[in-house]
Amino acid sequence: MTEQSLQGSSTTQTKSNSKGGFPLAAVERIRGAQTLNRYAIYAIYVAIAAFIIFGTIASLKAYRDSDVLYKLFYYLPYVLVGLTIPITLYNAFIILRYRLNQPSMVAISIGLALIITVVSLLFSLSGWLWLGIAAWMGAAFLFSANFKRFFKFMDEQSGATADTALASMPTDKPA
C-alpha cells in the first residue's frame, strides 16, 4: 500500500468516529448535558411561577395568616433553584472539559454564585440569599447559550462538509 492510500483510509476512519472534530462520545455527552440544563431551566421557570402564584395568593386578605402559603411562597423557589445547582456544576465541568467557553467566564459565573450563596448561608444573610440564587439561575442560562452555540457550530461544520463533498463529486456533464 502506498502512503497516500494509508492516509486516505485513516481520514475515513477518523471522519466516521467524529463529528466536527469532536469524538461522537463527546458530542453525545455534551448533548446529555444540554438536556440536563434544559431540565434545570424548566425548574427555574417553575420556581419563578411558584414565587408569583404563591406570593399573590399569600397577599390576599383571606390567606394572610396562612403559614403553609407563606412557606410555599418563601422556600419553594429556593428549593427548586437549589436542586439545579448540581446540574449546573456538572454542566460547568462539561463546558470546561470540552472548552465550549472560556474558563474565566465559567469561573466567574460559578465562583460568584458559589461565593454569594455560601457567604449568605454562613452568615445568615437571608436578605442576600436571593442574589446567590439569581446568580445560579444566570449560570444555567449562560450554559444554555453555550450549548446552543456549540450545536449551531456543529451544524455549520456538517453543512460545510456536505457542501465540500458535493462540490468535489464528478458530474455527468460533458466538458
Side-chain angles (χ1 to χ4, degrees):
M1 291 183 116
T2 64
E3 187 176 320
Q4 189 177 21
S5 65
L6 286 175
Q7 288 176 349
S9 66
S10 66
T11 57
T12 305
Q13 184 181 13
T14 304
K15 287 185 187 260
S16 66
N17 291 334
S18 69
K19 182 176 179 182
F22 282 87
L24 290 178
V27 173
E28 289 304 313
R29 189 170 294 131
I30 294 169
R31 188 160 311 278
Q34 182 186 29
T35 303
L36 283 175
N37 193 59
R38 193 173 305 121
Y39 293 144
I41 289 176
Y42 291 152
I44 289 169
Y45 287 151
V46 170
I48 292 170
F51 179 79
I52 292 170
I53 292 168
F54 293 124
T56 303
I57 293 172
S59 69
L60 296 174
K61 192 172 191 175
Y63 299 106
R64 282 199 180 141
D65 296 330
S66 174
D67 288 337
V68 173
L69 278 175
Y70 178 74
K71 287 180 181 180
L72 285 173
F73 160 68
Y74 191 76
Y75 293 112
L76 185 61
Y78 286 131
V79 169
L80 287 171
V81 175
L83 291 174
T84 67
I85 291 173
I87 296 171
T88 304
L89 290 173
Y90 173 74
N91 290 336
F93 171 75
I94 294 295
I95 287 172
L96 284 173
R97 169 68 178 90
Y98 296 108
R99 299 202 180 260
L100 302 181
N101 198 352
Q102 296 175 355
S104 61
M105 291 294 292
V106 176
I108 286 173
S109 63
I110 294 296
L112 186 66
L114 189 62
I115 288 170
I116 292 172
T117 305
V118 168
V119 167
S120 297
L121 291 173
L122 284 178
F123 296 109
S124 299
L125 302 172
S126 61
W128 286 80
L129 188 58
W130 65 270
L131 190 58
I133 295 300
W136 284 110
M137 292 166 61
F141 284 101
L142 172 71
F143 296 160
S144 174
N146 288 333
F147 291 132
K148 284 181 186 176
R149 199 170 49 232
F150 172 74
F151 285 111
K152 181 180 177 186
F153 168 77
M154 294 298 285
D155 290 341
E156 288 174 358
Q157 288 295 323
S158 64
T161 305
D163 292 342
T164 306
L166 287 175
S168 65
M169 290 180 68
T171 60
D172 293 335
K173 294 180 184 178

